[in-house]
Amino acid sequence: AQSVTQLGSHVSVSEGALVLLRCNYSSSVPPYLFWYVQYPNQGLQLLLKYTSAATLVKGINGFEAEFKKSETSFHLTKPSAHMSDAAEYFCAVKGGGFKTIFGAGTRLFVKA
Amino acid sequence: NAGVTQTPKFRVLKTGQSMTLLCAQDMNHEYMYWYRQDPGMGLRLIHYSVGEGTTAKGEVPDGYNVSRLKKQNFLLGLESAAPSQTSVYFCASSYTGRDSPLHFGNGTRLTVT
């Protein structure tokens, strides 16, 4: 079985500061991991994915995530936050089957 | 290229009423999914389909039914709506590979009074 835990339902940063959104996963098989972003009144969009190639994955809008098997983590980072990054972010895991399991989400606030 | 289209965008039902949510995708994806999104709970899988004519239960299937008569369409039905089904519903689709991400519609906001 798979599960995802996102630490912190809300994260607030100043514009220009580092963004760090935490995700830990559990999977009985080597996982495929995803980060999605949701802007208000929209569906989720893919930010980046880990599929067992490079452990440091770069995505859109300057985001990246590092897969750490020993820590079962896949934290999302961005060196410098922009006002347009304010949104809700979801970490998700796919195990051996068809299903994608989502974390509860982290809402990112960016202060001017 | 429309991607994944959901109708309607909003709906208000009274307890006990029925309705069908429509999802259409134009990407020739094999897999389709229905999720519900509730505050603090992320997205929970209701039902999914791995091909035309097939459906399967997800995490929270009770009170819902689905059909996939055509590859491009996936319908979600509520036979007798309950206030606990007040939620935002998202349809998604994907290719068959494990590395294939989900493509989402913009959601249907349903309120049951």
Side-chain angles (χ1 to χ4, degrees):
Chain A
Q2 289 76 43
S3 67
V4 175
T5 302
Q6 290 185 240
L7 298 175
S9 58
H10 297 84
V11 170
S12 183
V13 301
S14 297
E15 194 171 22
L18 172 72
V19 175
L20 171 61
L21 304 182
R22 298 177 188 274
C23 172
N24 288 88
Y25 70 91
S26 171
S27 179
S28 53
V29 299
Y32 282 19
L33 295 159
F34 303 81
W35 275 100
Y36 290 86
V37 60
Q38 184 181 32
Y39 299 104
N41 301 314
Q42 294 186 24
L44 282 69
Q45 305 169 33
L46 180 70
L47 265 183
L48 50 80
K49 63 180 182 181
Y50 165 76
T51 59
S52 78
T55 56
L56 182 62
V57 181
K58 294 188 184 301
I60 62 172
N61 302 336
F63 284 93
E64 62 182 36
E66 186 172 10
F67 173 71
K68 291 187 177 180
K69 184 178 178 181
S70 60
E71 298 177 8
T72 61
S73 69
F74 190 55
H75 302 330
L76 182 71
T77 60
K78 182 174 180 177
S80 176
H82 191 273
M83 297 296 288
S84 61
D85 295 327
E88 189 155 21
Y89 293 81
F90 292 91
C91 183
V93 62
K94 258 190 188 181
F98 314 107
K99 304 174 193 177
T100 300
I101 305 301
F102 287 86
T106 298
R107 185 166 296 278
L108 176 66
F109 297 92
V110 182
K111 299 174 290 187
Chain B
N1 190 348
V4 179
T5 302
Q6 292 183 235
T7 54
K9 289 183 171 52
F10 303 94
R11 187 72 188 268
V12 178
L13 288 179
K14 295 187 187 305
T15 297
Q17 288 185 318
S18 63
M19 77 164 293
T20 300
L21 281 65
L22 310 179
C23 177
Q25 53 96 3
D26 62 1
M27 296 170 282
N28 202 34
H29 287 164
E30 284 293 332
Y31 297 170
M32 295 188 74
Y33 308 82
W34 277 106
Y35 286 89
R36 59 178 289 173
Q37 183 179 26
D38 302 291
M41 303 189 74
L43 279 79
R44 292 180 292 168
L45 183 64
I46 305 171
H47 285 281
Y48 63 99
S49 168
V50 298
E52 182 179 313
T54 73
T55 63
K57 294 180 180 180
E59 301 171 73
V60 289
D62 294 343
Y64 305 95
N65 57 75
V66 288
S67 65
R68 184 126 180 246
L69 298 180
K70 293 183 178 181
K71 184 177 182 178
Q72 64 267 36
N73 297 335
F74 196 29
L75 279 58
L76 178 71
L78 285 72
E79 292 184 343
S80 178
S84 60
Q85 294 177 304
T86 293
S87 188
V88 181
Y89 292 85
F90 286 98
C91 177
S93 67
S94 76
Y95 291 113
T96 58
R98 269 188 72 203
D99 63 338
S100 297
L102 298 177
H103 297 257
F104 284 86
N106 283 331
T108 295
R109 186 173 295 274
L110 175 66
T111 302
V112 183
T113 62

